[in-house]
Every structure is written in structure tokens, then in C-alpha cells.
Amino acid sequence: MRQIPDDNLKYPILVRTLVKNDKGDSVDHLVGSGVFFKQDNYFYFVTAKHVLYNEKAELKFATISLFYYGKNSELASEIDLDLKALSNENLLIAHKNADVVILRIGKDEVTPNAKEGKLIFSSEAIKMKTSNGPLVCVTDTKKFEDVMVANDIFLLGYPSSLKNNGEIDILMPLLRKGIVAGKNKSKKTIVIDSPVYQGNSGGPVF
């Protein structure tokens, strides 16, 4: 049976925020999943557009936090984001048609003799809340033309709807396996055959 290293479970990011309940108290709300992507020394956060925006292309939340497990650490880290400020600074970009949104988190500043660079945030609207290890990032992708029907896929994310009486830790990512079921060439979308639940939206597919 094919296996992957446990570190692969650190790719997905949990998107969370605070919302008011019926009593007016602020409660933790798990919004969806996402992934960090690194290119040319820049770090980006990628998720599904519907995780952050409504049907009118308006932001659903003023602020969110990105909850993730850093490299070489079993402890979680968290970054706070002011979405409205980042949108005004053109650092948060939603695709006009596709269900994709991307945010430039910052730059990897490499200093001489350093084993790893230092993450410099792109804006004061991005603040490190808890730091436990460097970001685990995707650094390579496939082109649409290279994806073949029946390719094996692994889907990672935080399916927060699977609470299951506490048996599943909703603050830990889950891994699902499936295949590429088909491709829509006109829209350049990929159809996957894999269990997906509310909360998986925006998570990476390998």
C-alpha cells in the first residue's frame, strides 16, 4: 500500500474566524482550507474564492486567521489577517470567473550563512499570532494538460463538518484518496472522485 510521510499532512491550512452566536458571544468558526505556495522567494496563500467571498463578490469576513502546522514542529502556528485592508492594498486577489483567491503573504529574506530565510510580511495587516516552525509550502504544480484521467490523487484539508461526536479532531488535517474522474477542457477544470466534505474547500489536491 502506498504511504506518504506524515509531514505531507502539514500542507493544508485551516481558515478560521470569529462570529457572533445567537447569544451575541464570539465563537470560533471554521471556514475552510487552503495551502501556502512559494514562488521566486514570495509566499502566497491560496484557497477557494467561495471560502472568503459571497455570491456578490463581497468579503464574508473582515478578519480571518490561518491555522497550520509548521515544518519540524508538532505544534500549530497561526497568522492573523485583516482581509479588508489586504484587499485595499491589492494583496488579496479574487479571480473574476474561477473559484480561486490568492493572497501574497510575504517574502523570504535570505541572509548570508543562514540555513533558512526569514519571512517578511507584505503588510502590517498580516500579523504572526503564534509561530512554531517555518511554513510548509507547495513549490511546484502541474499544467492542466499534464493531468491525466485516472491519475491517483490525494486530497488534504479540514473537513470541519465531520465532528463525529469528538472522535475526529477538527483541528487536525485529514487525508483522502481518489482519482481524476474527468476533465472539462473548455473551462480547464478537473473532476475528482474523492470524498469531500464542508470545510475541505480550498485545500490542496496532489
Side-chain angles (χ1 to χ4, degrees):
M1 179 177 290
R2 181 178 296 172
Q3 294 181 326
I4 64 173
D6 288 344
D7 266 3
N8 279 257
L9 288 174
K10 296 184 177 181
Y11 278 108
I13 302 159
L14 172 61
V15 183
R16 63 200 299 197
T17 190
L18 292 175
V19 295
K20 299 286 186 182
N21 63 12
D22 295 337
K23 297 180 180 179
D25 300 323
S26 294
V27 294
D28 191 21
H29 176 57
L30 308 185
V31 181
S33 303
V35 66
F36 290 124
F37 184 77
K38 185 178 180 182
Q39 186 177 52
D40 299 328
N41 285 337
Y42 282 98
F43 293 99
Y44 301 90
F45 167 67
V46 183
T47 188
K49 183 178 177 179
H50 73 265
V51 169
L52 302 182
Y53 291 84
N54 62 23
E55 295 178 353
K56 296 180 180 180
E58 300 167 334
L59 283 168
K60 295 180 182 178
F61 318 102
T63 61
I64 61 168
S65 67
L66 306 180
F67 179 94
Y68 63 96
Y69 292 90
K71 187 177 179 181
N72 302 322
S73 175
E74 298 303 316
L75 301 175
S77 301
E78 198 159 10
I79 298 175
D80 288 335
L81 306 174
D82 183 331
L83 294 182
K84 289 187 176 181
L86 292 168
S87 179
N88 291 336
E89 295 176 40
N90 292 321
L91 294 174
L92 177 66
I93 305 295
H95 197 284
K96 290 182 179 179
N97 303 314
D99 189 18
V100 179
V101 64
I102 186 167
L103 164 69
R104 195 174 79 188
I105 293 288
K107 189 174 183 180
D108 191 9
E109 187 178 87
V110 181
T111 56
N113 303 319
K115 292 183 179 180
E116 292 186 356
K118 182 180 179 182
L119 172 58
I120 305 299
F121 290 137
S122 300
S123 167
E124 292 183 358
I126 306 173
K127 299 185 187 311
M128 182 65 74
K129 184 176 181 180
T130 309
S131 178
N132 288 299
L135 310 184
V136 177
C137 301
V138 173
T139 57
D140 194 14
T141 60
K142 271 195 170 188
K143 293 182 178 180
F144 178 82
E145 294 76 15
D146 296 330
V147 177
M148 301 180 69
V149 174
N151 274 164
D152 286 334
I153 63 104
F154 291 100
L155 183 149
L156 300 101
Y158 289 84
S160 54
S161 53
L162 293 181
K163 295 181 180 178
N164 200 23
N165 297 324
E167 292 181 15
I168 295 176
D169 185 354
I170 59 175
L171 295 183
M172 291 294 292
L174 287 181
L175 169 71
R176 300 284 180 181
K177 183 184 177 185
I179 63 168
V180 175
K183 297 170 64 177
N184 185 327
K185 293 184 179 180
S186 62
K187 293 187 175 181
K188 287 199 171 182
T189 55
I190 299 166
V191 182
I192 62 172
D193 182 11
S194 177
V196 179
Y197 299 89
Q198 183 179 348
N200 273 123
S201 292
V205 178
F206 296 106

